[in-house]
Amino acid sequence: MDVSDLLTETYDRLPDRVRAAVDGLTPEQLRWAPAEGANPVGWLVWHLTRVQDHHVADLLETGQVWVTGDWAGRFGLTADPDNTGYGHTPAQVAEVRPESAQALIDYYAAVSARTGSFLAGLRQADLDRVVDESWDPPVTLGVRLVSIADDDLQHAGQAAYVRGLVDTD
């Protein structure tokens, strides 16, 4: 298996996890948190999508999906390209108000399609390219892609767990 196939296999698992976490939930259920200060399903899926969108856009040196179209409006937010949810306070988490489960599914699908196109063109040698020199050691493309996948898979699992706590009766 080549590197492109391996990374594609990893990232291709996320759309089903995103859909399973949110499909059928109402906007209120998407915003429900199991405890004060905990993150709701909608925020977790929005955040994992924002992280992938932000980081892959940076790798491609292009604009984020988030700032095109009306994605931000579908979440009750402005199209701030720096707002990925990292370091959000509980008040900021509560500001993320997806209009529907479909808004989360659609935004993730748009981001995932761009990521998939990027991954399809990767070669083994590409992974050694340094993409962030602010760390010691500097971060390579391979490390960044693993980091994005790790973050997204972790948050998808959290969203699935919180989904199991949501009263869907």
Side-chain angles (χ1 to χ4, degrees):
M1 178 178 273
D2 72 16
V3 68
S4 175
D5 292 341
L6 179 64
L7 288 166
T8 297
E9 175 65 27
T10 301
Y11 280 84
D12 277 356
R13 293 170 184 239
L14 282 158
D16 288 340
R17 284 171 171 71
V18 163
R19 181 177 293 282
V22 302
D23 200 28
L25 295 182
T26 67
E28 294 77 22
Q29 290 169 325
L30 291 168
R31 294 188 300 266
W32 177 83
E36 187 174 328
N39 296 322
V41 171
W43 184 90
L44 288 162
V45 171
W46 169 82
H47 170 64
L48 75 84
T49 309
R50 286 294 301 123
V51 167
Q52 187 177 141
D53 188 8
H54 178 274
H55 289 6
V56 172
D58 185 54
L59 295 172
L60 291 169
E61 298 179 346
T62 189
Q64 298 172 28
V65 172
W66 181 248
V67 299
T68 62
D70 188 33
W71 293 112
R74 294 181 73 184
F75 293 86
L77 299 168
T78 61
D80 178 356
D82 295 322
N83 184 10
T84 64
Y86 182 75
H88 266 188
T89 65
Q92 290 169 310
V93 168
E95 290 174 2
V96 177
R97 302 178 62 79
E99 68 183 19
S100 65
Q102 195 62 48
L104 289 156
I105 292 166
D106 292 348
Y107 177 43
Y108 188 79
V111 170
S112 179
R114 185 188 56 197
T115 300
S117 294
F118 174 59
L119 296 176
L122 284 181
R123 298 180 324 265
Q124 180 74 31
D126 297 329
L127 298 180
D128 293 329
R129 177 173 61 95
V130 172
V131 296
D132 188 347
E133 294 185 1
S134 67
W135 296 89
D136 185 19
V139 177
T140 63
L141 176 60
V143 168
R144 179 59 48 87
L145 289 170
V146 168
S147 177
I148 296 166
D150 176 59
D151 186 74
D152 280 5
L153 290 165
Q154 179 179 191
H155 288 310
Q158 292 167 341
Y161 178 80
V162 175
R163 162 72 188 241
L165 300 175
V166 173
D167 182 9
T168 57
D169 291 335

